Amino acid sequence: MRRMIATLTGAAAAALIVPALVAAAPASARTAPDDPVSALKSQFTAHRGVKLDEQGKLIGEGKTERVILSRRAGVLEFGRKGVVASDLTSTFSLPSGDKELAEEFKDLFSPTRVITVKGFSYTDGKFYGDAMPEGKKWVRARAGLASPGNPAQQLVNPLEPATLKAVLARTAAKRPGGTWDGARTVVHSGTITLGELYKVSPTVRALLGAKPSATSAVLPVKWQLYIGSDRLVRRAVSSWTQSLRGLTSIDLTYLNDSRYSGWGVKSAIEAPPADQVAEVGELDFEGGNEDPFARLMTTEN
């Protein structure tokens, strides 16, 4: 277990990175900006934020289809240029049918809370299992844009102005989207390539770790954005498929459905108490190079 945990210390989601890819006034009560990008930027105020409820699905399509379900919920806090802090808890549902495998991965996929603030992330120690020093509850590391252990995060991040602009420029269709967070919405949908997202999105660059190969760059990412009359995004849905055939025997499909609510909510996220925090260098585990997500997808029932 400790050997597998080590593979994730410096990366947010090993399954996503393979060699080939390397209370303020309610928003609805304000004067609505003319476009979604301007509306988003108008929310960038210190100690205000938005609530996130995100559901992800990682589907391994091989001899035996395996599915990992994930959910991530909490608060994202804004500064003058975008998200500057977050407090998010992730939960997982593993492939069934293998009790031994479930026991081996129980710490890795237990509910995990990650607080990110002032350039550092603090991860609940259960994620690291018995590698944690005695008496410590959190592990501190330089903050990234991806959440540890979550392989199916939102690839189309609508909280990044450049990403939102680039995606909406590729809108192929619009239709009524129903009511979300008390706002009537219009669904904008289309397709954008992984390479195009890599160019504009810090989140995608953090998830992939390196520029996509020529083959990977043209992979299509399907997306839907539910936008309210105040031009704020209430829901973002994306999906894409990555073929690992040649490296493993599977294709991986990533599905994500993110809901954004409570725009303008008050937020004052702080780091955990210093005496409960361990540094990455204090963790006691042996290194290894096994990808636990790939193993979960390829192990036979």
Side-chain angles (χ1 to χ4, degrees):
M1 179 65 194
R2 291 182 294 181
R3 179 166 57 88
M4 293 179 187
I5 296 298
T7 68
L8 295 180
T9 301
L16 191 61
I17 304 172
V18 297
L21 281 179
V22 152
S28 58
R30 304 171 185 165
T31 301
D34 293 335
D35 66 275
V37 176
S38 297
L40 173 62
K41 290 181 177 180
S42 73
Q43 298 294 310
F44 292 168
T45 302
H47 301 302
R48 301 289 176 175
V50 65
K51 298 176 182 178
L52 172 69
D53 190 342
E54 175 182 279
Q55 297 184 51
K57 182 183 291 187
L58 176 60
I59 305 171
E61 302 172 18
K63 293 181 180 179
T64 302
E65 182 176 286
R66 288 177 171 269
V67 178
I68 295 177
L69 301 176
S70 66
R71 183 169 184 175
R72 193 167 63 138
V75 177
L76 304 168
E77 185 177 314
F78 295 128
R80 292 183 298 173
K81 295 184 179 181
V83 176
V84 296
S86 61
D87 187 346
L88 300 169
T89 297
S90 297
T91 57
F92 298 88
S93 175
L94 299 180
S96 60
D98 191 328
K99 294 182 180 180
E100 182 178 344
L101 198 64
E103 176 64 23
E104 182 176 356
F105 285 89
K106 67 178 182 180
D107 287 330
L108 179 60
F109 291 105
S110 64
T112 302
R113 184 181 176 190
V114 180
I115 296 173
T116 302
V117 62
K118 295 183 179 179
F120 289 92
S121 64
Y122 301 83
T123 302
D124 186 322
K126 290 181 180 179
F127 179 81
Y128 295 96
D130 56 5
M132 285 291 293
E134 184 176 355
K136 303 294 185 179
K137 298 181 179 180
W138 302 86
V139 174
R140 188 178 85 146
R142 283 288 177 185
L145 296 173
S147 177
N150 193 341
Q153 291 183 68
Q154 181 57 259
L155 205 63
V156 176
N157 187 346
L159 303 185
E160 297 171 343
T163 301
L164 183 59
K165 181 179 179 180
V167 169
L168 288 175
R170 290 155 180 79
T171 299
K174 299 179 185 180
R175 62 175 176 80
T179 300
W180 296 92
D181 187 34
R184 297 178 68 87
T185 66
V186 173
V187 184
H188 298 239
S189 60
T191 302
I192 188 170
T193 68
L194 190 63
E196 290 170 328
L197 280 174
Y198 182 87
K199 290 178 181 178
V200 298
S201 174
T203 295
V204 172
R205 290 194 291 271
L207 285 170
L208 297 185
K211 185 178 180 179
S213 65
T215 301
S216 300
V218 297
L219 289 174
V221 179
K222 298 178 181 178
W223 59 269
Q224 294 179 328
L225 294 178
Y226 292 66
I227 299 176
S229 58
D230 55 7
R231 303 299 186 266
L232 292 172
V233 174
R234 295 315 201 283
R235 184 182 180 191
V237 180
S238 67
S239 65
W240 68 293
T241 298
Q242 172 186 2
S243 178
L244 301 184
R245 296 183 186 275
L247 297 174
T248 70
S249 60
I250 61 173
D251 290 338
L252 292 179
T253 297
Y254 303 85
L255 305 175
N256 187 284
D257 188 341
S258 301
R259 319 287 175 86
Y260 301 88
S261 63
W263 285 93
V265 66
K266 290 183 178 180
S267 180
I269 296 171
E270 297 182 351
D275 62 354
Q276 298 179 11
V277 176
E279 301 294 334
V280 172
E282 298 178 61
L283 301 183
D284 180 21
F285 48 56
E286 297 177 1
N289 57 11
E290 183 174 2
D291 181 341
F293 293 105
R295 182 180 173 193
L296 280 168
M297 292 302 168
T298 56
T299 300
E300 296 294 335
N301 285 326

